[in-house]
Amino acid sequence: DVKVTQSSRYLVKRTGEKVFLECVQDMDHENMFWYRQDPGLGLRLIYFSYDVKMKEKGDIPEGYSVSREKKERFSLILESASTNQTSMYLCASSSGAGAPHIRRNTGELFFGEGSRLTVL
Amino acid sequence: AQRVTQPEKLLSVFKGAPVELKCNYSYSGSPELFWYVQYSRQRLQLLLRHISRESIKGFTADLNKGETSFHLKKPFAQEEDSAMYYCALDLLGGGATNKLIFGTGTLLAVQP
């Protein structure tokens, strides 16, 4: 059974603080994703990664960075949190397909339970 | 630009009534479409994908390329179907376009 674990379910931070959101998956998946989920806006992709030390920007990368030092772990970093980053953050993983330089997402994403971040 | 549109934020039906959750997409390439579901206090999970042509929990969805739609249907709604439903588009074609784009979601409320 695929398990994607997000280390923090609820966080409260102050404006300007540095925030780390950690995500670990145990299925040896190549692909990992960070989305934010907001009412009325759905899920929006922040960053994704197809391999260790590899990252690509999603649709809303501004104000965020990521780190993937190990295959099973994908971290989202808010360098200086702002109130408009108050949101639910979802991590997901999926198995890849194809050549290493073009790993196609096989379509099924496995999601974590989410991390609800409040920035005051 | 690639886009997934779910026009209804909320769909309320009575138990036993038919359900249709609308999804339209905008994409010039060959799309692969999915429905994801999030039940209360549970994580988001895959419900079905168009390529499988399967029925899951009584739900079906047919890809209509002419109308660029992928509506989710169920003939008789059950209370346990109440959840948030997201339509998602996988951009095929190789290169870096290997990611899912989600719609804004539709909350289905099935009344007893």
Side-chain angles (χ1 to χ4, degrees):
Chain A
D1 195 23
V2 177
K3 199 63 179 298
V4 178
T5 303
Q6 295 183 230
S7 57
S8 303
R9 293 292 308 277
Y10 302 94
L11 302 95
V12 179
K13 299 292 182 180
R14 297 202 175 274
T15 302
E17 280 192 82
K18 191 169 186 176
V19 182
F20 292 88
L21 299 180
E22 304 286 341
C23 175
V24 177
Q25 51 94 2
D26 64 0
M27 285 300 291
D28 201 35
H29 282 168
E30 292 82 5
N31 307 321
M32 296 189 75
F33 306 82
W34 275 106
Y35 288 88
R36 61 178 284 177
Q37 183 182 31
D38 299 289
L41 297 177
L43 273 73
R44 292 179 291 166
L45 182 63
I46 305 171
Y47 267 97
F48 56 106
S49 169
Y50 291 135
D51 208 341
V52 175
K53 296 189 186 296
M54 181 276 179
K55 60 186 178 184
E56 287 198 30
K57 292 180 180 179
D59 300 315
I60 52 165
E62 296 78 19
Y64 304 94
S65 62
V66 290
S67 172
R68 193 160 181 207
E69 296 296 319
K70 294 184 178 182
K71 189 175 184 180
E72 66 271 18
R73 187 180 297 269
F74 192 36
S75 302
L76 180 69
I77 304 154
L78 288 66
E79 294 289 341
S80 178
S82 63
T83 54
N84 62 12
Q85 293 179 310
T86 291
S87 186
M88 173 69 85
Y89 290 88
L90 299 182
C91 175
S93 72
S94 72
S95 60
H101 64 290
I102 302 178
R103 287 204 177 274
R104 276 216 35 240
N105 176 30
T106 56
E108 181 171 8
L109 300 189
F110 295 87
F111 283 88
E113 292 183 296
S115 298
R116 184 167 293 283
L117 172 66
T118 300
V119 183
L120 302 175
Chain B
Q2 302 88 2
R3 188 183 300 124
V4 176
T5 303
Q6 294 181 250
E8 303 141 327
K9 287 187 177 180
L10 171 66
L11 181 64
S12 183
V13 301
F14 286 104
K15 177 182 173 182
V19 172
E20 183 178 59
L21 300 170
K22 290 184 167 51
C23 173
N24 288 90
Y25 67 91
S26 173
Y27 181 51
S28 58
S30 179
E32 188 167 348
L33 287 143
F34 305 82
W35 277 98
Y36 278 77
V37 62
Q38 188 169 29
Y39 301 101
S40 179
R41 286 185 288 277
Q42 293 188 27
R43 61 186 73 197
L44 193 60
Q45 60 187 289
L46 177 67
L47 179 63
L48 56 80
R49 66 186 85 191
H50 94 268
I51 202 167
S52 302
R53 296 184 174 276
E54 56 196 348
S55 173
I56 302 292
K57 298 183 178 182
F59 284 98
T60 59
D62 291 319
L63 177 61
N64 186 322
K65 290 187 178 181
E67 296 183 358
T68 59
S69 69
F70 187 56
H71 303 328
L72 183 68
K73 299 178 183 179
K74 185 171 182 176
F76 307 103
Q78 303 298 316
E79 288 181 69
E80 56 264 31
D81 295 329
S82 295
M84 179 68 83
Y85 291 80
Y86 291 96
C87 183
L89 167 67
D90 189 0
L91 307 178
L92 300 178
T97 56
N98 302 318
K99 59 185 183 182
L100 285 190
I101 294 177
F102 285 82
T104 52
T106 299
L107 180 62
L108 174 64
V110 181
Q111 310 296 332

